[in-house]
């Protein structure tokens, strides 16, 4: 008990509670700024809270899409590349427009003289050369027009052109038939659809 009294009577030790100082007053400019921000951003915050159920699913969908895109890029999965690559290859196979127009002009001159078979054969020979120049991987010395008409690397118009031209040339060579103006017109139209096609 004496020890307790000794501690309590020691003036260096404080036992009575200290009155807390008044909190600092918020400056008027800061209070005005706070009220302005509440007025400005309050409606946006309330709208955000009201739209949160929908917004949450939108954000989840965006997150999933980004995750899928990241996986596709990391593992180099050709999801979107296939179409664009095929489209680029088809564009690469198109002959130069000036060359195509020059070939059509030369073939038209033969056809104007009634030499339809020669005009169609000229279309075939030079169009194969044009493809070989632009895509040497597609044309080999043993390639035939029928083989070219089945190449996936050519656009549909190119396959149709080689099929139409091949039919006419085969009839002229193997059936020994004279080609008519109609044969020439069909072959020319098929080649023009292919050679002058631009995306």
């Amino acid at each position: 008990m004496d020890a307790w009294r000794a501690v309590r009577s020691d003036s260096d030790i404080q036992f009575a509670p200290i009155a807390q100082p008044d909190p600092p007053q918020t400056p008027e400019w800061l209070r005005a700024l706070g009220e302005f921000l509440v007025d400005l951003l309050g409606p946006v915050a309330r709208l955000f809270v009201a739209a949160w159920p929908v917004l949450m699913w939108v954000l989840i969908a965006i997150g999933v899409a980004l995750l899928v895109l990241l996986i596709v890029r990391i593992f180099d999965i050709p999801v979107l590349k296939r179409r664009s690559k095929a489209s680029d290859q088809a564009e690469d196979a198109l002959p130069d427009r000036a060359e195509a127009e020059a070939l059509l002009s030369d073939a038209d001159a033969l056809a104007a003289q009634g030499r339809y078979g020669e005009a169609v054969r000229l279309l075939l020979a030079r169009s194969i050369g044009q493809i070989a120049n632009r895509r040497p991987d597609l044309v080999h010395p043993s390639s035939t027009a029928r083989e070219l008409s089945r190449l996936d690397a050519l656009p549909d118009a190119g396959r149709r052109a080689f099929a139409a031209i091949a039919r006419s040339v085969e009839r002229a060579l193997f059936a020994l038939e004279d080609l008519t103006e109609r044969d020439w017109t069909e072959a020319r139209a098929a080649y023009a659809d292919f050679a002058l096609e631009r995306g």
Side-chain angles (χ1 to χ4, degrees), residues 60-136:
I60 289 172
I62 291 171
V64 169
L66 290 174
L67 181 62
V68 169
L69 183 61
L70 182 65
I71 290 171
V72 166
R73 293 226 175 199
I74 288 173
F75 294 104
D76 198 27
I77 301 171
V79 175
L80 303 174
K81 293 181 182 176
R82 187 170 295 157
R83 277 186 65 192
S84 63
K85 186 176 180 183
S87 174
D88 290 345
Q89 287 180 342
E91 184 70 26
D92 288 345
L94 290 175
D96 179 73
R97 187 177 190 92
E99 289 178 4
E101 289 172 348
L103 171 54
L104 286 173
S105 176
D106 292 345
D108 282 338
L110 290 171
Q113 299 170 25
R115 298 157 63 185
Y116 303 118
E118 290 179 53
V120 172
R121 284 194 297 277
L122 179 66
L123 273 187
L124 179 64
R126 284 192 23 202
S127 60
I128 290 175
Q130 290 170 344
I131 299 294
N133 286 339
R134 293 187 62 89
R135 293 288 308 276

Side-chain angles (χ1 to χ4, degrees), residues 145-146 148-149 157-168 170 190:
R146 286 211 176 265
L148 292 174
S149 71
R159 291 194 294 273
R160 284 194 303 271
F162 282 108
I165 296 169
R167 276 194 306 272
S168 296
E170 286 170 355

Side-chain angles (χ1 to χ4, degrees), residues 45-60:
R46 285 190 290 277
L47 182 64
F48 182 81
V49 169
W52 175 247
V54 175
L55 187 60
M56 176 183 68
W57 289 109
V58 170
L59 292 174
I60 289 172

